[in-house]
Amino acid sequence: MSETTRVGWIGTGVMGLSMCGHLQAKGYPLTVYSRTKSRAQSLLDKGAAWADTPSAVAAASDVIFTIVGLPSDVRSVYLEDRGILAAAKPGSITVDMTTTEPSLAREIYDAAKAKRVSAIDAPVSGGDVGARNATLSIMVGGDKDAVDKVMPLFQAMGKNIVYQGGPGNGQHTKMCNQIVLAGTIIGVCESLLYGFKAGLDLDTMLSSITKGAAQCWILDNLAPKMVQRNFDPGFFVEHFEKDLGIALDECKRMGVAMPGLGLVRQFYVALKAQGHSRKGYHALLLVLEQLSAIKR
């Protein structure tokens, strides 16, 4: 990559805006598209060009990044008539940083290869905090030579960038990440409920367990928000429930039993049914409070 490499970016939500901003700060010429133009306004104010469609982004770019919401959004952005692959130039590289289906990542890879375009799947972990601070963990699948070419761009957004192998492997790795998160966050929520019912000062309790064997990212970053009743999203309930559904579908395909994952996913389905889809995924606490008739 050089300073003249033209970068396209599609998706300027909670994480995408910050991630794209890091590339803009490095001086790369930038073309952006988002379903809601106002969400890209800060990038436009700093000199980014606006495109009206994903295909227009692709036509203007050497490397095209995407981070959107659902697998259906990814499919539309890449494969429909006004999508990226309708206009991407031979030799260009696409990088999907959405968490989506491994099978879809491989489908996009094959469709891109037929047009002499390289496709990389590179989902991330670290939430809005990692996106803002450029400390994301980036899990990368695709052809190694294409990955090596875009490595300087990854390094502008993350600190732990690991090549996982061929197409779809980045998404498979992200599923492993989400399975751990599912098991961890329910444990953190149950710990807080136990401490509350036992009459502990929760901040004081956390000052002990965050420094022992239980220490983890969720305890450090989300447990204090739960104590403060702050359920603002760094990562939406609806997106995490979507990820757990993808992981369970993959488990079914591979013949792997994941009873804990299935249980936690049902709690997130309940959260959505109760109208909490756009809260942060640490709002799981609300469902567990309801089960124990705890009113806060």
Side-chain angles (χ1 to χ4, degrees), residues 16-33:
L17 182 65
S18 295
M19 295 162 68
C20 184
H22 295 310
L23 298 181
Q24 188 174 47
K26 293 290 186 181
Y28 294 104
L30 189 65
T31 301
V32 300
Y33 167 80

Side-chain angles (χ1 to χ4, degrees), residues 61-100:
S61 306
D62 303 307
V63 182
I64 306 102
F65 287 88
T66 56
I67 182 164
V68 292
L70 304 173
S72 58
D73 299 319
V74 174
R75 180 174 294 279
S76 174
V77 161
Y78 277 89
L79 300 176
E80 288 189 355
D81 290 343
R82 297 195 298 171
I84 291 168
L85 295 183
K89 300 179 299 299
S92 60
I93 302 173
T94 69
V95 185
D96 185 28
M97 307 190 82
T98 318
T99 299
T100 188

Side-chain angles (χ1 to χ4, degrees), residues 106-107 122 137 183 211 220 230:
R106 291 191 296 270
E107 181 180 348
S137 179
K211 301 298 186 287
D220 289 339
N230 175 2

Side-chain angles (χ1 to χ4, degrees), residues 135-193:
T135 57
L136 292 168
S137 179
I138 305 176
M139 303 155 236
V140 189
D143 292 336
K144 186 65 162 56
D145 58 344
V147 172
D148 288 343
K149 288 176 183 176
V150 300
M151 188 59 69
L153 304 180
F154 285 145
Q155 290 168 340
M157 295 181 280
K159 292 297 184 186
N160 184 44
I161 304 148
V162 181
Y163 177 62
Q164 298 292 339
N169 281 7
Q171 297 296 348
H172 278 305
T173 303
K174 182 61 183 288
M175 291 303 105
C176 294
N177 184 85
Q178 302 307 71
I179 291 166
V180 171
L181 283 184
T184 303
I185 197 163
I186 193 170
V188 170
C189 289
E190 290 180 345
S191 173
L192 291 173
L193 292 178

